[in-house]
Amino acid sequence: MCIRDRYQRRVHGDYRRDMAEEATQPQAEGTDQMVKPTKKISIKRRFVSDGVFLAELNQFFSRKIDSCGYTGVEVRVSTTNTEIRIKATLTKELFEKDKQKVRELTALVRERFNYNEEDNKVSVNVDPYQNRSWSAATQAENIKKRLLSGLPVRVVAHSTLRGIMMRGPKGAEISISGKLRGQRAKTQKYRAGYRVSTGQPKIDFISSAVRHVKLKQGIIGVQVKIMLPDIRDPLLESLRCLPDVVVVREPKDEP
C-alpha cells in the first residue's frame, strides 16, 4: 500500500482494516519472504493527519465560497462514507441551478483526496447558518464589500457594530488596519458590549474572521470578533454558559 493510500485511510480512521489487509498479503513475486506488515499508526500521527485534512478543507472552501458567507466545515466519518458539512449564511448561490456549485465542490474534493464511488465515498452538504449577525465571517465579508464601494471606514464600522449588537450577542469588536487616511498605517478598533479573550470560553463563545481588502492605497485588514450568547447543546440538552455564571434556584416547598 502506497503512502498516499495510507494517508487517505488515516484521514478516515480505518486503521484496523489497513493492518488486516497488510498482514494477509501474499508472498512477493520472485521471493520467498512474506511482505512485512507496517506498524500501527501512533495517536500523534493520527491527530496530525486529521488536522492537516481539516485545515486543507477549510482553506479550500474559504477560497471557493467566501462570498457565500462561509463560516466553517464539519467532517463526519463512517466505514464507507465521509460526510462534509459546509456552514454558510448565503446559501442561495450554492443551491441555484440544481446545486451545481455543490456538485462542483464534491468533484474537486473527490479528485484531490482520491475518493471513489465504491468503498470510499464522499458527500458534501450545506447547513444554512440561520442568524447572520452571529457569523463573524458574514460580517467581515459585508465590511469588505462596503469598503470596496468607497464608504468611509468609521461609518462602515459603526453601522456594522450597531447591527450586530441589535441581534443578541453579548459583545463585538471590529479591527481595521492599514492606510486608512494618510500614508501612515494604523489600526482602528471599535468595541461594544462584553467579550472574553482567554481560556475555554474563548473557544466556545468567540466567532472570529479575517478578510483583506485590496484598495488603491494598499491592502486593508479587517478582523471581526463576536461574543455569542449562551449556546444550547442538543447532546446535553442544557445551556452552555460561562464558568462564572451562578444560578440561584428557588427553594422547594417542604411537604
Side-chain angles (χ1 to χ4, degrees):
M1 181 179 295
C2 64
I3 297 177
R4 182 180 59 186
D5 295 336
R6 286 179 185 152
Y7 170 76
Q8 177 63 24
R9 293 204 173 180
R10 282 205 304 272
V11 170
H12 287 70
D14 202 358
Y15 315 116
R16 296 182 180 178
R17 188 171 64 179
D18 289 347
M19 297 301 106
E21 289 181 358
E22 293 180 357
T24 57
Q25 284 181 351
Q27 294 182 356
E29 296 182 1
T31 61
D32 296 333
Q33 297 180 355
M34 296 289 292
V35 177
K36 295 183 179 180
T38 59
K39 295 182 180 179
K40 185 177 180 180
I41 183 173
S42 64
I43 297 178
K44 183 186 296 185
R45 290 180 179 272
R46 170 189 171 185
F47 279 102
V48 169
S49 61
D50 292 347
V52 170
F53 177 66
L54 285 175
E56 192 168 349
L57 273 181
N58 186 50
Q59 184 182 27
F60 170 71
F61 289 133
S62 62
R63 290 179 178 177
K64 289 292 184 180
I65 56 175
D66 57 344
S67 61
C68 300
Y70 170 75
T71 60
V73 63
E74 181 182 355
V75 180
R76 298 180 181 180
V77 180
S78 63
T79 56
T80 60
N81 186 31
T82 300
E83 183 182 7
I84 300 174
R85 292 180 174 269
I86 302 173
K87 298 179 181 179
T89 55
L90 306 176
T91 58
K92 182 179 179 181
E93 182 180 349
L94 297 175
F95 289 149
E96 65 183 5
K97 296 182 180 180
D98 197 16
K99 297 184 179 181
Q100 180 180 356
K101 189 71 173 180
V102 177
R103 294 200 303 270
E104 291 177 0
L105 295 174
T106 305
L108 291 173
V109 171
R110 185 185 298 114
E111 182 179 358
R112 168 62 183 87
F113 296 102
N114 299 321
Y115 287 99
N116 54 49
E117 293 295 338
E118 298 177 357
D119 59 342
N120 194 11
K121 299 180 181 180
V122 63
S123 60
V124 177
N125 300 322
V126 180
D127 286 345
Y129 200 93
Q130 301 297 332
N131 201 334
R132 295 178 56 185
S133 297
W134 293 8
S135 172
T138 303
Q139 299 301 326
E141 194 68 29
N142 186 28
I143 293 174
K144 177 180 177 180
K145 291 180 180 179
R146 297 177 70 180
L147 290 178
L148 288 173
S149 64
L151 292 176
V153 174
R154 193 180 299 272
V155 174
V156 173
H158 280 297
S159 61
T160 304
L161 195 62
R162 194 182 309 113
I164 293 174
M165 296 304 296
M166 289 176 59
R167 299 301 178 88
K170 292 184 177 181
E173 176 183 303
I174 299 175
S175 300
I176 302 178
S177 60
K179 295 180 180 180
L180 304 179
R181 289 188 177 180
Q183 289 297 319
R184 179 66 65 107
K186 60 181 179 179
T187 301
Q188 295 182 359
K189 293 186 178 182
Y190 304 87
R191 299 187 180 96
Y194 170 71
R195 185 180 58 85
V196 297
S197 57
T198 58
Q200 185 65 30
K202 178 183 177 182
I203 302 175
D204 295 336
F205 292 95
I206 296 295
S207 173
S208 61
V210 176
R211 292 293 184 271
H212 300 91
V213 187
K214 297 181 180 179
L215 299 178
K216 186 179 294 184
Q217 66 268 27
I219 297 179
I220 293 179
V222 177
Q223 184 181 35
V224 179
K225 295 181 181 179
I226 300 176
M227 175 74 175
L228 302 177
D230 295 333
I231 303 172
R232 181 172 295 278
D233 195 337
L235 298 179
L236 301 178
E237 297 182 355
S238 62
L239 286 174
R240 286 193 300 168
C241 55
L242 295 174
D244 57 350
V245 174
V246 178
V247 179
V248 180
R249 302 183 183 276
E250 294 293 334
K252 295 182 179 180
D253 297 333
E254 296 182 359

